[in-house]
Amino acid sequence: MKKYEIATIEGDGIGPEVCQAAVQVLKEACGSSQLVFNDFPGGAAHYVKSGSVLPEETYEACKTSAAILHGAAGLPEVTYPDGTEVGNDLHLQLRFKLDLYANVRPIRLYQGDFSPLKNRAAGDIDYIIVRENTEGLYASRGAGILLRGEVATDTLVMTRKGVERVARFAFELSRKRHGAPVDGVKRMTVCDKANILRTYAFFRSICDEVALEYPDVAIDYAYADAITVHLVKRPDFYDVIVAENMFGDIISDLGAATVGGMGIAPSGELGDHHGLFQGAHGSAPDITGLNVASPLATILSGAFMLRWLGDRHADADLIDAAARIEKSVELTLSQGQVIPRDLGGHASCTDVTSAICRNLKA
Ligand code: ATP
């Protein structure tokens, strides 16, 4: 049996509770010897104590471990002098330093009544947002100009290499999937504002070039404003959506809302050599310490991590464990007894975690 060292960073707010929940489920699914979890400091609270949001030791561990599992980082009151939040720097630095260019955010409806949308059943919403994660507007983070307290600029950055690789990633993903729920068509939607800005027109033209390599996947386009309507009115049309960094950030929160909220939205940030897995949500300071956070997003991100590791290392045991965790989440939700609060139930974070562990044994 192969062994994998996983670097965990629990972080701030609900980060520790959801990260510990995922570790418990992952150990239950794989046995305690296959995965070795090593916890490292990082985040806004650590910055307050030490002056460093991502200590060198943590970064080194992330670089050398098989994968990274993260809870969440950020405290609204911990900011830099320019007003931006310190906590976000943890994963932003990891994204840029480890070149995690594809942020993969699956949006899947497990049960119709979790959705605020009318007449939607399980499986009606099942698409993946691939958010470009190292360029776009957020590439200017910490590098924009603030002049005399009168002028501020941030620059949107796009490179041919950056767009090509994320577009190719999205096409490959669509190729492996079963198509959009409404018609079974493998479809890659390019989300941009190509009608307004050159950068987005460039983004679209490179996606068009890459599309020539994928005649079996239909290419589709949506402006970032229009897609906010489509994701509400006809979410079943979507299969894979590729978007610039900030647009991907925004539409993935919208997508999460249509399937129940941030508590059920996993995320994997992938490069050619490293993978970082965390729920798509933030540190949720409003519910910290109450044991009411949903651990599902982080648990599903943990399953995603196993699948990614399993594919990379040709390890069928890990892929099997990922499938068992996903089934256990589905079973727990379908039993209807232990439902987290954000999905309309009353279960605590620890109750949900225990139920998933129990169902893993079933
Ligand atoms: P970030 O910008 O760091 O992504 P954010 O400002 O978008 O963070 P979140 O921390 O994701 O905000 O929280 C948004 C809302 O979703 C809050 O009301 C929060 O309580 C809720 N939320 C986030 N994560 C969870 C969770 N795991 N379980 C339940 N509710 C959650």
Side-chain angles (χ1 to χ4, degrees):
M1 185 196 287
K2 286 188 195 152
K3 272 195 172 184
Y4 302 88
E5 300 255 343
I6 311 296
T8 60
I9 311 171
E10 294 184 347
D12 304 304
I14 62 168
E17 56 194 280
V18 295
C19 192
Q20 286 160 23
V23 169
Q24 192 182 328
V25 171
L26 289 164
K27 282 185 176 165
E28 187 68 45
C30 297
S32 49
S33 55
Q34 191 168 25
L35 301 177
V36 180
F37 293 95
N38 301 308
D39 194 44
F40 293 91
H46 188 75
Y47 174 85
V48 172
K49 272 195 291 188
S50 69
S52 173
V53 64
L54 176 67
E56 196 52 36
E57 173 209 13
T58 302
Y59 172 60
E60 277 304 313
C62 290
K63 215 165 59 171
T64 52
S65 297
I68 308 153
L69 182 68
H70 176 42
L75 296 170
E77 66 280 12
V78 183
T79 56
Y80 291 123
D82 66 4
T84 60
E85 254 195 53
V86 168
N88 290 321
D89 243 4
L90 176 79
H91 48 248
L92 281 162
Q93 281 192 39
L94 286 171
R95 283 171 192 166
F96 293 120
K97 288 180 169 173
L98 300 178
D99 205 19
L100 307 173
Y101 61 85
N103 188 335
V104 181
R105 296 184 155 187
I107 304 291
R108 178 178 166 206
L109 182 60
Y110 281 83
Q111 260 171 241
D113 57 354
F114 294 160
S115 179
L117 307 182
K118 272 190 297 185
N119 305 324
R120 289 292 172 195
D124 275 4
I125 305 177
D126 187 357
Y127 58 88
I128 297 188
I129 295 168
V130 179
R131 164 184 171 188
E132 200 295 318
N133 215 29
T134 54
E135 303 192 338
L137 196 52
Y138 293 174
S140 274
R141 163 95 176 164
I145 293 168
L146 182 57
L147 199 59
R148 301 186 308 270
E150 288 169 351
V151 180
T153 65
D154 285 309
T155 306
L156 200 161
V157 179
M158 297 245 178
T159 68
R160 170 169 286 278
K161 173 184 167 182
V163 182
E164 266 179 16
R165 65 184 182 177
V166 79
R168 199 164 278 121
F169 186 100
F171 277 112
E172 289 288 340
L173 195 57
S174 177
R175 198 171 248 182
K176 286 190 212 127
R177 284 168 50 84
H178 36 71
V182 74
D183 54 11
V185 171
K186 292 179 192 289
R187 177 178 290 121
M188 210 288 270
T189 300
V190 184
C191 169
D192 58 38
K193 280 297 280 180
N195 52 339
I196 303 286
L197 291 180
R198 280 189 180 148
T199 41
Y200 291 117
F202 177 70
F203 185 82
R204 185 179 285 204
S205 70
I206 293 177
C207 289
D208 281 336
E209 285 175 28
V210 176
L212 299 174
E213 298 166 31
Y214 297 89
D216 50 324
V217 178
I219 188 159
D220 170 61
Y221 312 96
Y223 296 132
D225 47 348
I227 207 169
T228 62
V229 177
H230 301 327
L231 293 181
V232 171
K233 299 200 78 144
R234 51 170 177 125
D236 50 355
F237 178 77
Y238 293 98
D239 171 21
V240 174
I241 301 168
V242 70
E244 175 269 333
N245 206 334
M246 183 179 67
F247 287 162
D249 189 9
I250 295 168
I251 66 169
S252 47
D253 276 26
L254 171 66
T258 65
V259 296
M262 297 312 295
I264 197 166
S267 148
E269 305 182 38
L270 312 179
D272 293 332
H273 308 290
H274 303 279
L276 163 67
F277 300 83
Q278 60 174 324
H281 57 76
S283 58
D286 53 331
I287 55 167
T288 298
L290 304 175
N291 195 20
V292 298
S294 168
L296 293 177
T298 318
I299 290 170
L300 289 168
S301 304
F304 185 2
M305 177 181 83
L306 294 186
R307 215 173 263 287
W308 177 78
L309 280 171
D311 283 342
R312 275 174 79 77
H313 299 277
D315 189 332
D317 290 346
L318 291 188
I319 294 173
D320 175 65
R324 284 187 289 112
I325 293 173
E326 288 157 358
K327 281 218 174 80
S328 176
V329 168
E330 247 174 85
L331 179 61
T332 306
L333 293 174
S334 71
Q335 287 166 338
Q337 310 292 324
V338 185
I339 303 290
R341 293 191 188 206
D342 61 334
L343 296 180
H346 302 283
S348 66
C349 181
T350 41
D351 287 343
V352 175
T353 309
S354 305
I356 292 168
C357 288
R358 268 198 310 278
N359 278 330
L360 265 175
K361 292 183 199 137

